[in-house]
Amino acid sequence: MKKIVLLGALALSAFSALVQAEDKPLRIGIEAAYPPFAFKQPDGSITGFDYDIGNALCEEMKVKCQWIEQEFDGLIPALKVRKFDAVLSSMSITEDRLKSVDFTAKYYHTPGKLAMKAGTVINDPLVDLKGKKIGVQRASTYDRYATDKFAPAGAEIVRYSSQNEIFLDLAAGRVDATLADIVNIDDGFIKTDAGKGFALVGPDFNDEKYFGNGAGIAVRKGDKALADKISAAIQAIRANGKYKAVQDKYFQFNVYGE
């Protein structure tokens, strides 16, 4: 009888642990200053494509999303010290980042682009940007690319903690250009009052070495179980129409890419 009671207690303990694991929220790090992917509403709440996709993924996985705000350059360090379980913040999957974190499958893919005064002609960025001040978000793929490519060609690279700060300085004439995601520039700057008189210029930037194969969701190195679970959820919401519903709320094109 004692053995039966003990086995029953063990089974109940295991079941309770399983329930607790399922009830445990998924803590997600995000930078809420990158429209239209993640930004604040007037009441202070977060919205945007990344945020809505994350909530759709949590719903698919039957877990609760717990969103934790963090400046972009602090996202990976905070992930590594377990401040959160994953990073969903338009983070490109690159070889450099794969040295310190793992990624899910991509959940969107858009090119980088330059924004400058309307009418500016950029045929060869390595020639035409010489002597120009280029604003980039610190620790982003655009920072690394501009540092490696534009700086040796004579451009001055100016780093900021957020892309919104760059847009303010671009509008004020304190920098000559910014290199960032094409959608973020278009929606977050050019289509706004502050962006009047500015335009997307020059070529698309798609160098796989720097920009990878799209944006993925970062997890701690070795957390294959979580990465696989989220990747399966990405495919599921693409198949059941939830991804498209979120996409169509923000974009008029296929943001997932090829």
Side-chain angles (χ1 to χ4, degrees):
M1 177 63 74
K2 288 183 179 179
K3 289 183 179 179
I4 294 173
V5 171
L6 178 60
L7 288 172
L10 289 171
L12 181 60
S13 176
F15 176 75
S16 297
L18 179 62
V19 169
Q20 288 176 0
E22 290 177 345
D23 288 345
K24 187 178 178 181
L26 181 64
R27 298 171 304 157
I28 305 175
I30 190 170
E31 182 208 30
Y34 196 64
F37 296 100
F39 56 99
K40 292 287 192 69
Q41 300 191 93
D43 64 1
S45 60
I46 304 173
T47 189
F49 177 78
D50 282 352
Y51 181 76
D52 287 356
I53 285 292
N55 287 328
L57 291 172
C58 285
E59 182 181 353
E60 182 65 31
M61 295 185 291
K62 296 179 172 55
V63 297
K64 180 182 178 181
C65 279
Q66 181 182 339
W67 294 94
I68 301 170
E69 288 185 64
Q70 179 78 46
E71 287 192 351
F72 190 84
D73 60 354
L75 284 168
I76 287 179
L79 173 66
K80 293 170 78 172
V81 298
R82 299 180 179 273
K83 183 176 180 179
F84 26 77
D85 308 303
V87 171
L88 202 171
S89 197
S90 292
M91 187 169 283
S92 298
I93 306 165
T94 66
E95 289 183 11
D96 189 54
R97 287 181 177 143
L98 283 167
K99 294 174 184 176
S100 57
V101 297
D102 287 338
F103 279 95
T104 65
K106 75 170 185 179
Y107 68 99
Y108 82 83
H109 192 185
T110 51
K113 199 79 174 178
L114 287 164
M116 299 182 74
K117 284 282 190 182
T120 304
V121 177
I122 301 293
N123 293 315
D124 183 349
L126 300 186
V127 174
D128 299 331
L129 294 178
K130 183 177 181 180
K132 304 293 186 183
K133 290 184 177 181
I134 315 298
V136 293
Q137 185 168 16
R138 187 179 296 109
S140 68
T141 53
Y142 307 105
D143 180 358
R144 184 170 171 234
Y145 185 88
T147 299
D148 286 0
K149 300 293 186 179
F150 297 162
E156 180 183 347
I157 310 305
V158 186
R159 296 171 183 85
Y160 295 79
S161 61
S162 77
Q163 188 61 41
N164 285 344
E165 291 177 88
I166 303 173
F167 292 149
L168 289 172
D169 273 10
L170 183 59
R174 287 185 282 268
V175 292
D176 301 298
T178 184
L179 176 66
D181 180 86
I182 188 171
V183 178
N184 177 235
I185 292 174
D186 193 40
D187 280 51
F189 182 60
I190 290 176
K191 289 180 179 176
T192 69
D193 289 341
K196 288 179 179 177
F198 291 86
L200 293 161
V201 301
D204 288 351
F205 293 89
N206 282 311
D207 189 330
E208 189 175 317
K209 176 183 175 182
Y210 293 91
F211 305 110
N213 292 305
I217 300 164
V219 300
R220 278 184 291 278
K221 201 72 181 171
D223 197 351
K224 186 175 184 300
L226 180 57
D228 288 349
K229 185 176 181 180
I230 298 174
S231 292
I234 291 170
Q235 295 310 309
I237 65 171
R238 279 180 48 74
N240 64 24
K242 291 181 180 178
Y243 182 97
K244 189 175 187 303
V246 174
Q247 171 188 274
D248 291 352
K249 182 177 174 182
Y250 297 97
F251 311 113
Q252 296 180 335
F253 60 94
N254 174 23
V255 74
Y256 185 81
E258 297 300 325

